[in-house]
Amino acid sequence: MLCLGLMGCRTPAPRAGAPATPCVPEIYGAGLFTTGAWDFFLAFTPDQRRVLFGRADDAFERYTLYETRLGADGNWSPPVKPRFASGWSDADPHFTPDGRAVFFISNRPNPGEEGTAARTTFDVWSASLQADGEWSEARRVPEPVSDAARDEWSPSVAANGDLYFGADRPGTLGGSDLWVSRLVKGIHQPPENLGDAINTQGHEVEPWISPDGRFLLISALNRADSRGSYDLYVSRRGPEGWEPARPLCEGINSPARDFNPSVSPDGQWLYFSSNRPFTGPVGARFDTPRNDASLEGIGRGTGDIYRLPMSVLGL
């Protein structure tokens, strides 16, 4: 999710060392995941037969999570709100690598506040898949991860249970930074700032950690090497820790907002959201039955879902 305001876009001079051959992302999921609405973020279960995704209002101020499942006939079911996300503003779903739980953010009342209005900040919540394949009720991830006075963004989980997220909290290098809360004996520890290889004096908001913890995809705002607004970066974990985050290949980032990175469970595809202009063919249709009205507005300023082979990125 992206909740830090609309910032002016700019296009700097080409970066030294930029690849000569640009990456060319494609629209993904026309009619279902990509529509004329503001669509953002995809999270697949390990078997890639179940997807959670986000949809916002046109002002990008209220967020709704939807779920769809791939049927035996090869068609995706009509999206519905999952049990754990039916009444509040919910966003940024990330499955655990084993697919047994999902972490997300919500502005719903915290435990003990039931019946009150929506909160003004977002905390981290989770829900589990039960034995019957349906969702449990949501549970708030408590302090020290969730801070009732502050926002948390995009909680992403490695296979060892370490939880990565964005937040503006004491110890930030400036604005929203990215943090990790390590899981020790089943308890999440006080968050650690990921340091200046990842964070800057600007805003870093949305991490996606690989299951093995060896690389990190992030979204960051208006860095010196930005194409404009939010852009996507990658950092690898080396022997000495995180390497400096670098922009993804030329063509992914644009003067528009490029954000919400995620990777398919098989490691084959990078997915991301962008509100860049688009006028070309929308590719394969995912709506069953067909509803051409759902395509109206794609590429006209609200978020759309794009994808690109991970092999192109060398990841």
Side-chain angles (χ1 to χ4, degrees):
M1 195 190 66
L2 200 62
C3 267
L4 297 175
L6 302 178
M7 306 298 291
C9 297
R10 57 188 178 87
T11 304
R15 299 184 297 277
T21 303
C23 298
V24 183
E26 63 183 8
I27 286 278
Y28 178 72
L32 178 64
F33 303 127
T34 296
T35 67
W38 196 305
D39 303 304
F40 67 100
F41 207 88
L42 292 182
F44 288 84
T45 52
D47 63 4
Q48 299 191 74
R49 302 188 66 84
R50 195 165 181 159
V51 177
L52 292 170
F53 67 98
R55 186 162 287 160
D57 61 8
D58 287 348
F60 208 78
E61 293 177 347
R62 181 171 176 81
Y63 319 103
T64 303
L65 290 184
Y66 290 96
E67 180 179 24
T68 178
R69 304 181 191 185
L70 187 62
D73 60 358
N75 295 320
W76 291 96
S77 63
V80 297
K81 296 178 182 178
R83 176 184 181 185
F84 63 82
S86 60
W88 307 96
S89 194
D90 305 301
D92 298 356
H94 290 72
F95 282 106
T96 53
D98 62 11
R100 295 179 181 176
V102 63
F103 285 74
F104 63 102
I105 62 170
S106 180
N107 69 346
R108 68 188 65 196
N110 287 332
E113 300 176 341
E114 302 299 331
T116 64
R119 303 180 68 250
T120 59
T121 59
F122 286 83
D123 283 343
V124 179
W125 292 70
S126 69
S128 300
L129 278 176
Q130 303 176 115
D132 61 359
E134 298 305 319
W135 290 108
S136 70
E137 296 291 347
R139 301 177 299 275
R140 180 177 181 262
V141 178
E143 292 75 5
V145 172
S146 293
D147 183 333
R150 302 173 186 274
D151 289 312
E152 287 82 40
W153 314 115
S154 202
S156 180
V157 189
N160 64 2
D162 290 351
L163 180 63
Y164 293 73
F165 62 96
D168 178 356
R169 58 173 59 205
T172 180
L173 301 187
S176 175
D177 277 357
L178 302 185
W179 307 76
V180 60
S181 173
R182 304 189 187 281
L183 187 68
V184 178
K185 297 182 179 180
I187 299 174
H188 281 107
Q189 303 301 300
E192 304 167 20
N193 191 292
L194 292 184
D196 59 9
I198 305 294
N199 295 313
T200 67
Q201 293 182 358
H203 293 304
E204 288 77 33
V205 291
E206 295 161 348
W208 185 92
I209 186 68
S210 62
D212 60 9
R214 296 178 64 182
F215 73 89
L216 182 72
L217 298 170
I218 73 172
S219 178
L221 176 66
N222 282 341
R223 290 188 171 190
D225 54 5
S226 172
R227 293 291 296 171
S229 191
Y230 284 87
D231 291 289
L232 301 179
Y233 294 78
V234 62
S235 174
R236 299 175 187 267
R237 193 197 299 268
E240 304 302 321
W242 291 110
E243 299 174 355
R246 58 178 176 80
L248 296 186
C249 59
E250 193 74 17
I252 289 184
N253 292 324
S254 72
R257 284 184 278 181
D258 306 300
F259 55 107
N260 286 134
S262 66
V263 178
S264 60
D266 60 8
Q268 298 299 304
W269 294 95
L270 166 72
Y271 298 94
F272 67 99
S273 308
S274 180
N275 67 334
R276 67 187 66 190
F278 180 86
T279 57
V282 296
R285 296 283 293 271
F286 281 48
D287 48 334
T288 305
R290 291 285 182 94
N291 176 16
D292 290 342
S294 70
L295 305 185
E296 295 178 5
I298 290 179
R300 299 178 187 173
T302 55
D304 300 313
I305 304 295
Y306 289 80
R307 73 172 187 174
L308 187 80
M310 288 290 284
S311 58
V312 175
L313 303 176
L315 296 172

